Amino acid sequence: MTKANTTASPEKIKQAREKLDAHVREIVGWHFNSETGTPFWLDRAKTLGFDPRKEVHGFDDLKRFGFFEDEWLRGGPVRRWVPRALQNKPIYVFETGGTTGIPKSRINIEDFRLDYEMFSETLPEQYFPKGANWLMLGPSGPRRLRLAVEHLCQHRGGICFCVDLDPRWVVKLIKKGWMEHLNAYKEHVIDQALTTLKAGHDIKCMFTTPKLLESFAGALEKQGSSVKQTGITGIFSGGTEFTPQFTRFAVEELLEGVYMTPTYGNTLMGLACSKPVSAEDGYKISYYAPQPRAVVQVVDLDDPDKLVDYGQTGRVMLTTLTKEFFMPRFQERDEGERELPYERFPWDGVSGVRPYRGFAATTTVGVY
């Protein structure tokens, strides 16, 4: 994997910030316009005490909204999140979480496609050749991941083969301590992937989670084969279990030169790309949100109105800014370290992403 690019120049950082501020004005103007806006935000505007269309001039002004509450996304009616200008479009609803209680829901129309088309531009052609077929080994169901990876494959000219996995069932098995059932289910999923790869479909690219990748490589090793020998050349993977330790292990023990690109994403934000991971940098993984459509900040654990210094630990705060979804200042269930802007993505990033310590004891990671 190539050495990471250099830190962004002050001019690039300034230009990116100006673009973000202009985008904030456009998105706030859209969601609070009575003709185009979102019923939830139009209703909430009555209690804000200020006019967002007149008084939000840039990203810093989003503080006036306070913090976005995840409870707002639990339960319906889901159409309160559909902007009036988009209400006659075909609408998807994707869920996040849901292991206990009512899951959070987010509507989607084109956002998931746009997010993955932007991500496509970061994939090196050498390892993710255009026209190549893909294997999607991961969660589908109410999540956007299956449709998004399938669109990524189709956008690049390929055909996607899918193997389903139900993460909610995995988490239940872990919580009950049914390890025999968990291992049987994992083997069932991996067997399907191996069968698909043996069927002669010329699959060169793959999406999977770190834990499934390890199981997949282990199953191949038992057969006297390897990830490289399957013909796969590029792996797109994601999840909070992506640590420098796992990355080093994957690069040195599992992949034999197969390219792997870590990502950090979720239903609410979209997809954050990592800058190239290298041994020289200790396999550190730094993620950068797809600004201006989404912004990641790393905020003080005790004072979320305050950014931590670069290199310091804080809680991840997300802001999503699209015409389909406006989510200002949502405190995520993750923490990490604030990273400097760099050349390709001249805005703040986050590294070392892991479950937020306030929730970590009660979080079951499952397949991620």
Side-chain angles (χ1 to χ4, degrees), residues 85-210:
L86 304 175
Q87 61 185 342
N88 295 322
K89 300 272 188 183
I91 295 163
Y92 297 88
V93 61
F94 298 135
E95 294 178 2
T96 181
T99 308
T100 57
I102 298 171
K104 297 190 287 290
S105 299
R106 177 191 165 178
I107 67 103
N108 256 262
I109 299 164
E110 292 289 344
D111 273 356
F112 73 95
R113 297 188 182 98
L114 294 172
D115 289 338
Y116 278 69
E117 287 171 17
M118 289 172 65
F119 171 64
S120 176
E121 294 172 13
T122 72
L123 295 177
E125 175 78 16
Q126 177 184 354
Y127 302 103
F128 297 90
K130 297 279 177 59
N133 294 334
W134 283 61
L135 173 65
M136 159 64 188
L137 174 57
S140 60
R143 294 152 206 87
R144 75 180 206 152
L145 198 51
R146 181 264 166 99
L147 286 173
V149 171
E150 192 164 44
H151 178 71
L152 171 66
C153 170
Q154 293 169 349
H155 178 69
R156 297 180 67 82
I159 296 170
C160 191
F161 293 81
C162 299
V163 176
D164 185 30
L165 179 138
D166 181 356
R168 292 177 185 171
W169 182 237
V170 169
V171 169
K172 282 190 174 182
L173 292 173
I174 293 171
K175 285 184 172 179
K176 288 177 181 290
W178 292 357
M179 292 302 123
E180 186 180 344
H181 294 267
L182 176 66
N183 289 328
Y185 183 54
K186 187 166 63 176
E187 286 176 15
H188 165 66
V189 171
I190 297 298
D191 283 348
Q192 292 175 73
L194 296 177
T195 299
T196 301
L197 285 171
K198 289 174 185 172
H201 295 302
D202 194 27
I203 292 168
K204 294 190 183 306
C205 307
M206 179 180 183
F207 170 85
T208 192
T209 69

Side-chain angles (χ1 to χ4, degrees), residues 217-232:
L220 286 165
E221 187 178 5
K222 285 180 185 174
Q223 297 180 358
S225 185
S226 67
V227 176
K228 187 170 187 177
Q229 286 177 266
T230 66
I232 289 171

Side-chain angles (χ1 to χ4, degrees), residues 227-344:
V227 176
K228 187 170 187 177
Q229 286 177 266
T230 66
I232 289 171
T233 56
I235 294 174
F236 153 36
S237 191
T240 51
E241 290 296 279
F242 239 125
T243 62
Q245 293 80 8
F246 172 79
T247 307
R248 177 183 283 109
F249 169 65
V251 170
E252 295 179 357
E253 304 291 336
L254 304 180
L255 297 179
E256 302 176 271
V258 175
Y259 186 93
M260 180 174 66
T261 179
T263 56
Y264 169 57
N266 59 37
T267 305
L268 302 180
M269 172 186 68
L271 198 62
C273 300
S274 74
K275 67 180 184 182
V277 180
S278 66
E280 297 94 324
D281 202 22
Y283 292 99
K284 182 169 78 169
I285 305 166
S286 302
Y287 298 115
Y288 291 83
Q291 269 190 219
R293 291 168 53 78
V295 179
V296 164
Q297 296 171 285
V298 183
V299 298
D300 190 275
L301 295 169
D302 299 315
D303 180 6
D305 280 319
K306 178 184 171 187
L307 290 173
V308 300
D309 291 333
Y310 288 111
Q312 297 303 301
T313 300
R315 188 170 176 180
V316 176
M317 188 159 72
L318 304 179
T319 294
T320 303
L321 297 158
T322 77
K323 287 188 172 180
E324 294 176 20
F325 190 53
F326 173 55
M327 184 186 72
R329 309 178 76 233
F330 174 64
Q331 296 180 78
E332 252 292 0
R333 300 176 73 89
D334 299 323
E335 64 178 62
E337 284 69 56
R338 185 184 178 195
E339 292 295 327
L340 287 161
Y342 93 111
E343 193 66 19
R344 180 156 192 171

